[in-house]
Amino acid sequence: MFPSPDLTAALRKVWQGVANPAARLAVATSGGADSAMLAAHAVALAREHGTEIILFHVHHGLQTAADGWADHVQALGRILDVPVATAHARVDANTGLGIEAAARDARYASLAELSCQHDVQHILLAHHQNDQAETVLLRLLRGTGPDGMAAMAPTMQRDGITYHRPWLNQSRASILQAAHAFAEQHDWHAVQDHTNADPRYTRAAVRELLSPVLDARWPGWQARLASHARHAAETSSILEEVAQNDMATLELSLDGTSFSLVRWRSLPSARQSLVLRHWLRLNGARMPTEARMADLLRQLRQLHSLGHDRQMQVAHAQHVIHCHRGRVRIEPRSEA
């Protein structure tokens, strides 16, 4: 059925969470079934609330079919009678993070540019329950902690923009049903990105190789993993409160870049790690691997046992962590 009552109800919650429901909203639209249906349902709701909708399309330029996808989104915009804005992403494949991560970063950078150009502060993303379950699996296999197991958040802030994922509890099957009904009504068919089924890519490998086995043995596993992500998010929020309370005891500097080593050392071992990760996040540092965190903890604990006047300096991604006269400090890494 199009529009789907369940998809519409889930999307309606976004308008309840936006301070000014008449503000302009954007839908990140690739031309695939998920984002196209999000756009179509959003346009129907927007007319109820007097909200202006614009479709944002990011052209990655990584496939020869990309030009056709951009044209396809323009055609969708004409059917829905809403404007479409396209940005050409600059994907840096030499970041060392892999092509998937590089494309994701480029996509968010392009969405930020489009938001600035079109005065948009809220963007809708079409991630659904299956995406969430895949993310939980990937995070688990990579050895993430409770924060990572929360997977994708329903809302998040990035580059001053609020991103909304209203369909994290909606199955892809329901989205495809709506897409089929939409195609029958408007003769517009979603594009197919072959990389989504190419097991050379990590997420596609989970989708094509692992998911069928799980479907056969544990039908409905996606809903259970999505539920696990919600529970992990609740746990993570509690741990965040603990970290904030502990941070308040560390004699933090006014700019938040340094804290008292002796105060930190008085915390229980697990909370030392927790508050250290919280401090790194506050200062925009990349989260360390388990091995890197263990080494950093070891050095800080050893430093304290040897006396406050011993100095330490650890390079971590784009930052340097050092300790002098009882203060642990983080600074941007020098380019020299």
Side-chain angles (χ1 to χ4, degrees), residues 104-159:
R104 182 174 58 251
D105 288 345
R107 180 163 58 252
Y108 278 116
S110 295
L111 290 174
E113 291 178 6
L114 288 170
S115 297
C116 183
Q117 294 169 7
H118 297 276
D119 191 26
V120 167
Q121 295 180 330
H122 297 268
I123 298 179
L124 307 181
L125 301 176
H127 298 115
H128 46 71
Q129 188 178 79
N130 296 48
D131 293 325
Q132 184 74 311
E134 291 169 2
T135 301
V136 171
L137 275 178
L138 287 169
R139 299 279 179 87
L140 180 63
L141 293 171
R142 289 167 178 163
T144 189
D147 191 39
M149 290 304 293
M152 294 182 286
T155 62
M156 73 167 185
Q157 296 285 331
R158 181 166 177 158
D159 303 319

Side-chain angles (χ1 to χ4, degrees), residues 214-241:
L214 295 174
D215 288 338
R217 183 63 180 84
W218 291 283
W221 63 273
Q222 293 95 337
R224 289 191 286 276
L225 286 192
S227 176
H228 174 77
R230 292 193 296 274
H231 294 318
E234 293 173 357
T235 300
S236 181
S237 68
I238 294 171
L239 293 175
E240 183 74 6
E241 290 183 16

Side-chain angles (χ1 to χ4, degrees), residues 162-185:
T162 302
Y163 288 90
H164 303 267
R165 298 184 178 102
W167 285 352
L168 287 180
N169 295 322
Q170 305 300 312
S171 70
R172 186 156 200 262
S174 63
I175 297 172
L176 291 179
Q177 288 175 358
H180 179 73
F182 184 85
E184 288 187 336
Q185 290 180 24

